[in-house]
Amino acid sequence: MADNSQRQGNYSCQVLEESQESSSAKKRIGLLGGTFNPIHQGHLMVAEQVYEKLCLDRVDFMPSNLPPHAEHKETIAADKRLAMLDLAIQANDHFAIEKIELDRPGKSYTYDTMDILTTLHPDNEYYFIIGGDMVENLPKWYRVEELMQLCYFVGVQRPGYDMPSDYNIIYVDSPQIDISSSYIRQSVNKGSSIRYLLPEEVRDYIDKEGLYRD
């Protein structure tokens, strides 16, 4: 169970280790959730920054099925989002994919996900990565008080959002890059270039599969 006391502020590996009472035998696993529709350089940069600065063992990208806070958000088929994720992370041996939310029907509530993961993998210590927009909305999250006991929350700077929160968050400084999946989808639909916004392998896949054209 996570001890989330005295955890606001920016952390380095050494400071984080000194502030935790967890067993050193546990693996530190970062979790970056999202629809990844499609994954882009902003997602990858955030994952790498958190991995390095918190000395994690791995960062898992966790594509969602039905996000509870985005009622009308449309996504393409899960197999295509997974294929793009796999292409994007294949050259990084400390990135992986966690499919638990795709394997469960219905909405993907983070509390339910973390309850299952911590039960299935008691030797893992989870660091749930969120952006500034999510920090602001934490009070609206399902069973958020209980969720805070299941994992550590890592807040990453994002353009246009203030970070203060009544909840205990591990803040990680990261270069600010304002790329969105919606911008990429709109650009593809208009025939505009998306080069350098996402990995070339993902760009080639989008072109080959004819995604986001409608």
Side-chain angles (χ1 to χ4, degrees):
M1 179 178 294
D3 176 7
N4 275 308
S5 61
Q6 305 296 320
R7 302 191 58 76
Q8 291 203 17
N10 294 315
Y11 279 73
S12 65
C13 290
Q14 182 178 357
V15 172
L16 181 64
E17 288 170 354
E18 291 174 352
S19 70
Q20 293 180 190
E21 298 178 356
S22 59
S23 169
S24 60
K26 285 193 172 185
K27 287 187 177 180
R28 298 190 204 180
I29 308 298
L31 285 174
L32 182 59
T35 55
F36 301 116
N37 186 35
I39 188 170
H40 54 67
Q41 301 290 17
H43 296 130
L44 297 166
M45 184 189 69
V46 163
E48 181 68 17
Q49 291 290 307
V50 174
Y51 167 81
E52 179 192 25
K53 292 180 179 178
L54 297 188
C55 294
L56 302 183
D57 292 290
R58 190 178 76 232
V59 174
D60 289 350
F61 291 78
M62 186 168 66
S64 58
N65 182 18
L66 296 174
H69 304 297
E71 294 291 342
H72 304 292
K73 194 169 187 177
E74 295 182 359
T75 61
I76 62 172
D79 63 325
K80 296 188 182 301
R81 289 186 286 133
L82 279 172
M84 288 188 286
L85 263 175
D86 187 58
L87 288 169
I89 70 171
Q90 62 184 354
N92 193 324
D93 60 6
H94 54 256
F95 284 171
I97 299 174
E98 172 55 70
K99 298 192 295 181
I100 184 173
E101 293 196 340
L102 294 180
D103 293 337
R104 289 166 38 226
K107 292 184 177 181
S108 302
Y109 287 105
T110 304
Y111 170 80
D112 295 334
T113 297
M114 295 312 306
D115 188 42
I116 295 171
L117 284 177
T118 54
T119 299
L120 290 175
H121 307 289
D123 292 332
N124 287 349
E125 187 170 70
Y126 288 102
Y127 294 76
F128 199 89
I129 304 165
I130 57 177
D133 53 340
M134 294 185 185
V135 170
E136 293 178 347
N137 289 325
L138 275 177
K140 300 178 182 179
W141 284 36
Y142 175 67
R143 299 179 72 170
V144 65
E145 299 292 344
E146 296 164 88
L147 173 59
M148 288 286 172
Q149 301 304 311
L150 297 176
C151 61
Y152 296 106
F153 269 70
V154 180
V156 179
Q157 293 281 6
R158 183 176 176 183
Y161 293 96
D162 294 327
M163 298 301 290
S165 174
D166 292 333
Y167 297 98
N168 293 303
I169 310 293
I170 302 171
Y171 291 125
V172 170
D173 290 331
S174 175
Q176 298 186 0
I177 178 170
D178 195 12
I179 299 176
S180 70
S181 295
S182 60
Y183 178 81
I184 292 173
R185 296 195 302 270
Q186 292 165 10
S187 296
V188 173
N189 191 43
K190 292 186 296 185
S192 301
S193 174
I194 57 171
R195 187 183 294 273
Y196 308 124
L197 299 179
L198 34 62
E200 281 295 286
E201 296 87 351
V202 177
R203 187 173 71 93
D204 290 343
Y205 182 86
I206 290 172
D207 184 60
K208 177 182 176 182
E209 296 293 321
L211 303 180
Y212 310 126
R213 301 286 175 81
D214 297 328

